Amino acid sequence: KAGVTQTPRYLIKTRGQQVTLSCSPISGHRSVSWYQQTPGQGLQFLFEYFSETQRNKGNFPGRFSGRQFSNSRSEMNVSTLELGDSALYLCASSLDRVGGSPLHFGNGTRLTVT
Amino acid sequence: QKEVEQNSGPLSVPEGAIASLNCTYSDRVSQSFFWYRQYSGKSPELIMSIYSNGDKEDGRFTAQLNKASQYVSLLIRDSQPSDSATYLCAVQTNQAGTALIFGKGTTLSVSS
C-alpha cells in the first residue's frame, strides 16, 4: 500500500508570496492533518481535516489555511509568507479509529522563505 | 497548555546496551501514546503505540505507560548504531480528533 505522498518536496519562496502544498493520504484514510516542524519549536499541529471538514485547528495565524477534497486529498496554503515560515511541513493521515489513531507521515515539504 | 516533555539529550549508549527514553505529559485526559523515530532529514516514523497501563513489547522495543504518573517510556534493547536518531513522544486525547501533541524529542546516539 502506498504511503502518504506530499508534493513538492522542496520550495523556495520570497517574503510576501503565497504557497500551496499538496498531500495524498494512504488509501482508506479519511483523516489528514498537517504539522510544521522547526528546530526551535519542534513538531507543531496546524490543523486536521476529516470528511472535507476542518475538525481541529492549532494555534497558527489565519495566513495558514487548508482544505480537503472528496477523495481525502488535502492542500494547505500559506499566504503572505514570512521568514519564520521556513520549515518542514508534514502531512499525516490516519484511519481515525476509536480508541487511538496512529498518524502516518509523508516525507514532507521543505519550505524556504527568503 | 497541554505539554509533552522529553529530555533533549543527547543520550549516548554503547552498542548492545539498553537505551531508556522518558516522556511526561500534562493532560490527564490523554488516552493514546506513540513513539516516533526520526532520522536526520527524514520524516517521523511510527515505532510504537500504547493505549493502556503497563508494558507493550515489539521486538527490541518496549513501551511502558503509567497514566497515574502521566509517564511514558521507551526501552530499546540491544541498541544498534542504526538506532541513532531522534525519538519523539506523542500524545493523543482522542477528544480532539487525531491531533498529536509532540515532545521536542530525545536524540539517541549508539556507538559501535
Side-chain angles (χ1 to χ4, degrees), chain A residues 31 33 35 37 40-41 43 45 48 55-56 88 90 94 96-97 99-107, chain B residues 31-32 34 36 38 41-46 49 51 88 92 94 96-104:
Chain A
S31 169
S33 51
Y35 290 79
Q37 187 173 32
Q41 297 300 317
L43 266 161
F45 172 70
E48 179 200 4
R55 182 160 66 176
N56 201 4
L88 178 65
L90 291 159
S94 170
D96 193 51
R97 187 183 61 204
S101 300
L103 270 59
H104 301 274
F105 286 88
N107 288 327
Chain B
Q31 296 178 308
S32 303
F34 307 95
Y36 286 83
Q38 187 172 27
K42 302 294 186 182
S43 62
E45 172 193 10
L46 178 70
S49 58
Y51 306 109
L88 300 163
Q92 190 178 67
N94 296 349
T98 62
L100 292 177
I101 301 171
F102 281 88
K104 292 196 175 180

Side-chain angles (χ1 to χ4, degrees), chain B residues 12-28:
Chain B
S12 297
V13 300
E15 184 175 357
I18 295 175
S20 178
L21 305 163
N22 304 313
C23 170
T24 60
Y25 59 95
S26 64
D27 191 351
R28 287 194 168 273

Side-chain angles (χ1 to χ4, degrees), chain A residues 11-82:
Chain A
L11 268 177
I12 300 176
K13 291 287 188 178
T14 304
R15 272 182 304 175
Q17 289 186 314
Q18 74 163 14
V19 66
T20 299
L21 312 181
S22 181
C23 173
S24 293
I26 293 171
S27 178
H29 287 193
R30 295 166 63 193
S31 169
V32 175
S33 51
W34 290 87
Y35 290 79
Q36 181 196 66
Q37 187 173 32
T38 58
Q41 297 300 317
L43 266 161
Q44 292 187 288
F45 172 70
L46 280 157
F47 29 66
E48 179 200 4
Y49 286 87
F50 181 80
S51 292
E52 303 178 65
T53 301
Q54 187 179 86
R55 182 160 66 176
N56 201 4
K57 188 177 190 305
N59 188 26
F60 277 82
R63 299 185 297 106
F64 292 83
S65 63
R67 59 178 176 169
Q68 186 181 32
F69 303 96
S70 58
N71 61 358
S72 294
R73 193 176 67 85
S74 177
E75 290 181 346
M76 69 163 280
N77 184 77
V78 187
S79 62
T80 320
L81 284 165
E82 300 177 359

